[in-house]
Structures are given as structure tokens and as C-alpha cells.
Amino acid sequence: MCKEGIYSFHMSYYKCKDCHDDYLLHQFCAEMPKTLQNHPSHDPHPYHNLTLSKDQFWTYDPKLIEWTCSVCNLVQKELFHYHCSICKINMDIICATMSQQKMDHPSHPHQLQRMPKKMVSRCNACGEEHQGTFYQCTTCFCYSIHLDCALLPAKLLIQQHTDATFTHSHPLTLAYSFPVIDIVAKYYPRCRVCKKHFDFYLWLYKCDKCQYYVHINCATSKTEPFMSIFLIPGSGKTYKNFKDDDYPNLLQCPFPDESYNLLRHYYFMKNKKEFITMIKEEEHGGEMLNHFSHQHPLILLDTHTQQTSVLIVLHSPMKKIQVLCDGCLKPIMEMPFYKCSEISSCGFVLHEWCARLPSKIHDHPGHPQHALVLMSNNPRQLLGLFFCNICRLYCNGFAYGCIACEYYVDINCAFLPKEITHEAHPGHLLSRINASPADLSKIYCNSCKCYLKNCNIAFHCPSCDFYLDTECAFLLPGVMRHQFDKHPLSLRYNPVENHPSDYFCEICEDIFDPNKWFYHCSCCAQSMHPACAPLILGCEQHVYEKKYRRRVFRYLNVKFGGTVEIKRLHPHRLSFLQGIQSHGLCYLCAKELQYDMIFKCLECDEYALHYGCAFTFINRSSYVLN
């Protein structure tokens, strides 16, 4: 009769038994009277009777089968309507029965009345402007929702409504608001589709078993496959925008484990001959190697090592054994590697690839104006410590530097690729960019949410505006082992499924934001900050940093354990350590030593000071390194 849909809020309807689903009637359409008296919309003659009909009864001219509703002004034909034979006006049955067009919707405490005309207005459900049928609250008048939003399903699978561009294993539940207290408690989550924030007064779809939230328009929109290259960063299924044949040596991040790094990639995955041709042949060869960084010859330890008396120890997080390369400061977890020939008295070790580095590199993207020279440490700093200008971390391993400009980078950051791919944004190339310009000052890394203005080099997907700083791209391995968990910890880019509760770091015991990258064990439901996860050997001593919540551990590239003698400051040799709570206060500045790089006398026990305080004191004094 009215040719409109029969919706769930209509509660009941009629249908013909013989015609099955071919003939259906709303209940109010089937029960409409043949004559309406004193209808308020028939102004100025409400006392005229309105008669129900389907045809223009006063003419049989086929040209006049169309008619215009006097209420909504829409042109109709072949529809039931009410007409006045005296005034020759028509009224469609929806407008004639508007007082019965009501809805009880769970989103609002009052009954909603259908608006008499189709209109363009802003919907209180989705916040967007719609054209069409609206239902308004007749009690408060400030609440109106579009018919499409009113008919949204209470539960849905997002993959069925987005052509599988976005997927989630659990049904999403329609929620009619996102209370501010919940938004704050969940660290201001963003929509998994458009990556924008939520307004507390608008509807959304959320998962009851996970921290998964989506705008209602995003959850129900269709996305063509070819449009995926324009998706918001990290959102949904992306389609490859490059050919593997064009990038045979493309670096795929994250690295498999903690021992993997850029140097290893270039040594094995790239053209090994190209890498080695940068080195003089006489600098290596045979089992013994005289390396410029160490006073003793180095011996190559592998499965064929002839010295059977040598006990070969590898880095083992689960056994709390730490073996770090003195060049790149990454764990040595496999053979072959170089070790000082004075095995019993000297613990100097190098990866094979760190022992075969080129002596000089040119056209580094961070300092193209000068060549960078390989050095075993920074000669101008205490214990060779320097600040890497790429990853912004302290380091006391090998460096490439320009002494004239005081520009230093660690040996991993010296070999930055032009393009990479990352599991967090699969299928798209991430290109190396200069992150210094002012137009990037308000752009943040998609991993740690830190602004790129503090970085020199970053990686960017231009089609999606996806950004990664060098720390998150290269210093967060895909898998990490920890003594607190017998299972490997995987790097996660979003809140994990079946985990609706808050996330707590198992190391520092702080609650954290799961919308930033973190490490997680699905078997044990344990999670860790990226900055806390590497602290395997010192977590019991509280060497993590609660006061600085960085993306990675700030001393990840620092090897502790060396000693220094400061003749004018203390008579005994001082050990290089990371401060813990029991170390107390600095001897010079009287501030806490916990979390910072410090020097401590192991003989006096109570004497300790900050690295910075010691360096300031002896800046023009003599010191002896060990």
C-alpha cells in the first residue's frame, strides 16, 4: 500500500498466506479506515472527509494518473492515498497516518516520531548529514536519527559489511555512546578503520571481547579493492603496490629476533661481495684477525674451531647469559664470531660482519657533505660514549663519525636502506625521508605516537601517510625471549583479541596503552613495554625507567661493565653501571642515581656518581680507560 519497507520497529505486519512473501502490509496500513474525518493536515477545511483510494476517481485521463501529496509535496502514482473530492487534494497514506509512525528505539528513553517530510539534517547517531527520513523525539526535540542509522543491526561482523577489507573474529555490538570515563580509561582509542577519535555522544560498534572500536559508518561502508591504497595508515587489508623483482634486496621489518640487525642484513641478504669489496683484502683472512679496535688478535670461533679447550658461550636470555658484540652491541646468539685470543683474560667479541666493516662510508643521508670514518669509539668522550644522531640513543660501540662536525652514528644506523617494508603496514613500500622539516613537526610515528620533529630520518608510505621513526623500524624485533615467560613474546601493533581488560607490563607493573606497539604472549596473556622487554638481566633490580616512557630502552646500545680511573676524583677504579635504587644519591649533585648511567666504586661501596657529573668534572682532566 505505501511501498515502504517493513522494519523491525514495526513489530508486526500482515502477509498473504497464498502469495507467501509477495504481498505484505504494515499493520497500520492494513487497518486504516476508508474514511478519515477532521484530519489536522487538511487545512483550512478539516471538516471535509478524506477517502482512501488508489486512483484519481474524478478523471480517467491516463495523463492524470500522477498526483502530488499536499503534505510532503512528493509526486506519486499508483499508490494508495487519501483524497478530498471537494478540494481535489491528495494525501499519501504515510502523511495521513503520521501520528502512528512512531518508534521505540533503545538509544533514547522517549518515543521517536517520524518527521512529516524528507529533509537534510545532521543525525544524532552518526554525526553525519543525511538526506531522507528522520525520527525525532517529541519530548526533548533535540534528538533525531536518520532511518538508516535507526535500522543498524545490534551485532555485525565487520568483514561482511566491508568486503573483507577489515576483519575481526568476533561480532561487534552496537553501542549508543562512548562515555568519557571509558575513553580516558582506554587511552583515547581510535577507530580501527579511519584512525580518528570518537565523540562520546555518537554511536559506535565495539567488541565485547577485545579493545576493538569502529565508527558506525566505518563498520558498514563498502570499500572497493583498488581503493585500498588510499586507506588510513595501518587500516584494513592492503594490496601490494610494488613488484618483488624490482626490489630484490628489500629489507622486511621487523627483524626476526634481537640478534638480527642492519649489518647482518647487508652482509648476508644483500650482495655480500659488494659489501666486502669496500674492505682491503689484507684486513681479514684466515682464522686470526688483527683488528684496529683491539690490542689482541681475534680468533674466529665456529663449529670447526681447533681449540677444543675453548668453552664457547652464546647469549641466552633464558639462562641469563649476556654476550654482546663490542661493535654493534647486539647479542651474539650463533656462530661464527670473533673473540679475543686472550680468552681467559679478555672478553672482547665481535660479530663476523662487525669485524669486516668498511673503514669509510660516503653520502650518508644524515650527513652527506662529509665522509664518515669508522672508529672504535668516540675519542672525545668518557668510555667512548656518544649520542647517535639517527636513532637518538647513547652508544659506546663502534661508530661512524665526522670529528670535524662532531656528527656520529652507530654502525647500524650507518647503513640505512632507501626502502623497507614492515609487517605493521604490509604490501606497501616505506621510503626513507628527512624528518627535520617544519612541515613534519606535527606528524607522529605510528608505532610510539611520538612526534617526528625529534628525529632526523624516518620512513614514510606516501599513499597512506604511514610514518615510522628509525627506532621503531629497526630496534623492535618481531620476537623476543624473556626469562619470565617460556614462550616467545611477539610484537603487537594493536590490542590483541580476547583481551578486553587493561594491559599491564610484567616488568615495571605499570598500565600501558595497547594502541602503541608492545610485546605480548598469547599463551600466558602477558604483555610488556617495548622499552622494558629487553631488560632480561636486570629487571629484578628495577633498572627500567618509569620516569621516561620511551619507545625503546634508552640504554639499548650501551654496554655496561667497563671501568675508569679518575685520578682527581677518587682513588679507586670506578665501574660503569646503570643505577638502581640501592645506589642512593650522586656524590656530586646529590640526586638519585636510579635509571641513569653511573660510575660506582666497588671497593668503597657507597661512592657513586652520575656519568654526566663525572664527565663534567674531568672534562679537562686525565683519565685512564680499561
Side-chain angles (χ1 to χ4, degrees):
M1 292 185 70
C2 66
K3 304 300 182 184
E4 289 198 351
I6 298 176
Y7 305 119
S8 57
F9 61 82
H10 287 132
M11 304 302 290
S12 59
Y13 63 95
Y14 288 94
K15 75 173 183 178
C16 177
K17 291 183 178 181
D18 297 330
C19 301
H20 300 289
D21 292 335
D22 293 338
Y23 193 84
L24 306 173
L25 295 176
H26 289 120
Q27 182 180 4
F28 58 84
C29 289
E31 297 174 356
M32 281 191 301
K34 292 184 177 180
T35 302
L36 292 178
Q37 297 178 343
N38 300 325
H39 197 282
S41 298
H42 186 29
D43 187 67
H45 304 290
Y47 51 86
H48 293 173
N49 290 336
L50 300 179
T51 306
L52 181 63
S53 177
K54 191 176 181 180
D55 301 313
Q56 296 274 27
F57 78 98
W58 61 82
T59 178
Y60 294 97
D61 188 348
K63 297 180 181 179
L64 298 178
I65 60 174
E66 293 184 347
W67 50 271
T68 302
C69 176
S70 62
V71 177
C72 63
N73 296 321
L74 294 179
V75 177
Q76 307 281 8
K77 65 178 181 179
E78 298 182 354
L79 282 179
F80 281 91
H81 60 280
Y82 284 95
H83 66 267
C84 177
S85 58
I86 300 174
C87 303
K88 291 186 171 50
I89 67 168
N90 301 285
M91 191 183 305
D92 63 55
I93 56 177
I94 293 297
C95 294
T97 60
M98 192 61 65
S99 60
Q100 302 178 41
Q101 304 286 327
K102 295 181 179 180
M103 178 196 307
D104 291 313
H105 200 275
S107 66
H108 196 68
H110 307 137
Q111 197 171 55
L112 304 181
Q113 173 75 50
R114 177 171 174 165
M115 302 298 289
K117 296 182 179 181
K118 294 184 183 295
M119 61 176 64
V120 177
S121 181
R122 189 171 298 276
C123 173
N124 285 101
C126 64
E128 301 292 334
E129 194 173 77
H130 285 275
Q131 179 179 3
T133 302
F134 277 80
Y135 282 80
Q136 184 178 33
C137 176
T138 57
T139 304
C140 48
F141 289 103
C142 61
Y143 186 83
S144 62
I145 57 176
H146 188 262
L147 179 61
D148 291 344
C149 292
L151 298 175
L152 287 173
K155 290 184 178 292
L156 61 78
L157 286 171
I158 191 171
Q159 51 266 35
Q160 295 179 355
H161 293 262
T162 58
D163 294 332
T165 301
F166 303 92
T167 59
H168 189 66
S169 59
H170 305 135
L172 303 182
T173 303
L174 181 62
Y176 303 114
S177 67
F178 202 162
V180 175
I181 188 173
D182 292 340
I183 293 178
V184 175
K186 301 303 181 184
Y187 293 93
Y188 302 91
R190 294 174 181 261
C191 173
R192 289 294 187 92
V193 174
C194 69
K195 299 301 180 182
K196 295 181 180 179
H197 286 293
F198 293 92
D199 293 313
F200 71 92
Y201 51 85
L202 296 180
W203 300 4
L204 72 153
Y205 277 102
K206 66 178 183 178
C207 180
D208 296 328
K209 298 181 179 180
C210 320
Q211 292 190 25
Y212 190 98
Y213 308 96
V214 190
H215 293 117
I216 57 175
N217 285 346
C218 296
T220 56
S221 61
K222 299 290 185 180
T223 303
E224 296 295 335
F226 72 89
M227 293 294 290
S228 66
I229 60 172
F230 301 109
L231 291 176
I232 302 298
S235 60
K237 180 173 62 177
T238 55
Y239 293 82
K240 208 167 188 177
N241 62 359
F242 66 94
K243 295 181 179 179
D244 292 331
D245 295 340
D246 297 336
Y247 301 90
N249 299 313
L250 184 63
L251 174 61
Q252 298 179 0
C253 295
F255 292 135
D257 55 53
E258 300 169 80
S259 66
Y260 210 97
N261 55 28
L262 283 170
L263 293 175
R264 175 172 174 164
H265 168 75
Y266 275 98
Y267 191 65
F268 289 105
M269 302 300 291
K270 202 178 177 183
N271 190 339
K272 186 174 179 180
K273 293 182 180 180
E274 177 184 343
F275 190 81
I276 296 180
T277 53
M278 303 169 69
I279 317 160
K280 296 179 181 179
E281 292 183 0
E282 60 269 18
E283 290 182 356
H284 61 90
E287 291 187 351
M288 300 294 291
L289 174 67
N290 292 315
H291 199 269
F292 78 97
S293 66
H294 195 62
Q295 66 270 30
H296 305 136
L298 305 180
I299 184 172
L300 183 65
L301 298 181
D302 57 18
T303 55
H304 304 290
T305 301
Q306 298 299 319
Q307 298 184 17
T308 57
S309 61
V310 175
L311 178 61
I312 300 178
V313 180
L314 298 175
H315 183 87
S316 177
M318 307 304 290
K319 297 179 180 179
K320 297 188 67 174
I321 299 175
Q322 185 181 58
V323 181
L324 301 181
C325 171
D326 285 277
C328 66
L329 304 181
K330 299 300 180 186
I332 295 181
M333 304 179 72
E334 61 183 7
M335 294 185 289
F337 67 94
Y338 282 97
K339 184 174 176 60
C340 178
S341 57
E342 302 292 330
I343 294 177
S344 59
S345 59
C346 182
F348 187 88
V349 291
L350 285 178
H351 285 115
E352 183 183 12
W353 46 88
C354 292
R356 303 172 184 269
L357 292 171
S359 61
K360 186 181 296 185
I361 59 174
H362 300 272
D363 300 321
H364 188 274
H367 194 71
Q369 57 269 37
H370 299 136
L372 301 182
V373 179
L374 177 64
M375 51 187 70
S376 60
N377 53 51
N378 183 358
R380 298 184 179 182
Q381 296 291 331
L382 188 61
L383 286 180
L385 194 74
F386 65 93
F387 187 73
C388 177
N389 282 274
I390 297 299
C391 66
R392 319 294 289 179
L393 295 176
Y394 286 104
C395 180
N396 59 353
F398 290 0
Y400 279 98
C402 175
I403 297 179
C405 302
E406 294 190 1
Y407 183 91
Y408 302 96
V409 296
D410 64 60
I411 55 177
N412 278 298
C413 293
F415 297 94
L416 295 177
K418 292 183 178 180
E419 296 94 8
I420 65 171
T421 61
H422 202 285
E423 186 181 43
H425 194 62
H428 287 190
L429 282 176
L430 304 181
S431 302
R432 188 182 67 204
I433 61 170
N434 183 353
S436 300
D439 57 347
L440 293 179
S441 61
K442 295 183 178 180
I443 302 297
Y444 62 85
C445 170
N446 284 82
S447 164
C448 59
K449 315 302 180 188
C450 294
Y451 288 110
L452 295 179
K453 62 182 180 181
N454 298 322
C455 304
N456 291 325
I457 303 294
F459 289 85
H460 174 224
C461 175
S463 60
C464 306
D465 273 349
F466 182 92
Y467 291 89
L468 277 184
D469 57 38
T470 52
E471 287 185 57
C472 298
F474 302 126
L475 298 182
L476 299 180
V479 176
M480 188 173 289
R481 304 288 304 199
H482 200 283
Q483 61 169 345
F484 284 174
D485 198 320
K486 62 182 179 181
H487 309 110
L489 300 169
S490 301
L491 183 62
R492 297 300 185 107
Y493 314 114
N494 289 298
V496 297
E497 293 187 358
N498 299 304
H499 195 301
S501 58
D502 294 331
Y503 288 76
F504 291 88
C505 177
E506 296 293 331
I507 302 300
C508 68
E509 299 180 350
D510 279 354
I511 189 173
F512 65 86
D513 180 6
N515 297 294
K516 299 178 182 179
W517 294 5
F518 63 99
Y519 285 95
H520 183 78
C521 174
S522 299
C523 298
C524 305
Q526 293 194 120
S527 304
M528 298 179 189
H529 287 114
C532 293
L535 303 177
I536 298 168
L537 303 178
C539 55
E540 300 97 334
Q541 299 176 330
H542 298 276
V543 296
Y544 48 82
E545 40 189 348
K546 282 190 176 182
K547 61 180 180 179
Y548 304 109
R549 184 53 62 216
R550 295 173 55 89
R551 40 191 168 255
V552 300
F553 181 49
R554 62 173 174 163
Y555 300 138
L556 186 67
N557 289 339
V558 175
K559 187 173 183 178
F560 293 100
T563 62
V564 63
E565 181 179 320
I566 307 176
K567 297 179 179 179
R568 296 177 54 189
L569 192 59
H570 193 70
H572 305 140
R573 297 191 70 84
L574 304 176
S575 296
F576 183 45
L577 308 171
Q578 185 185 354
I580 60 177
Q581 188 175 9
S582 62
H583 288 155
L585 303 179
C586 175
Y587 178 80
L588 293 180
C589 69
K591 294 182 179 179
E592 289 187 1
L593 296 170
Q594 189 177 12
Y595 310 124
D596 296 324
M597 295 182 294
I598 70 167
F599 287 114
K600 179 175 175 57
C601 178
L602 299 182
E603 295 184 33
C604 302
D605 192 44
E606 295 182 357
Y607 186 87
L609 69 162
H610 289 108
Y611 172 91
C613 294
F615 178 74
T616 302
F617 182 83
I618 65 166
N619 194 25
R620 295 186 179 182
S621 301
S622 61
Y623 60 92
V624 180
L625 303 182
N626 182 21

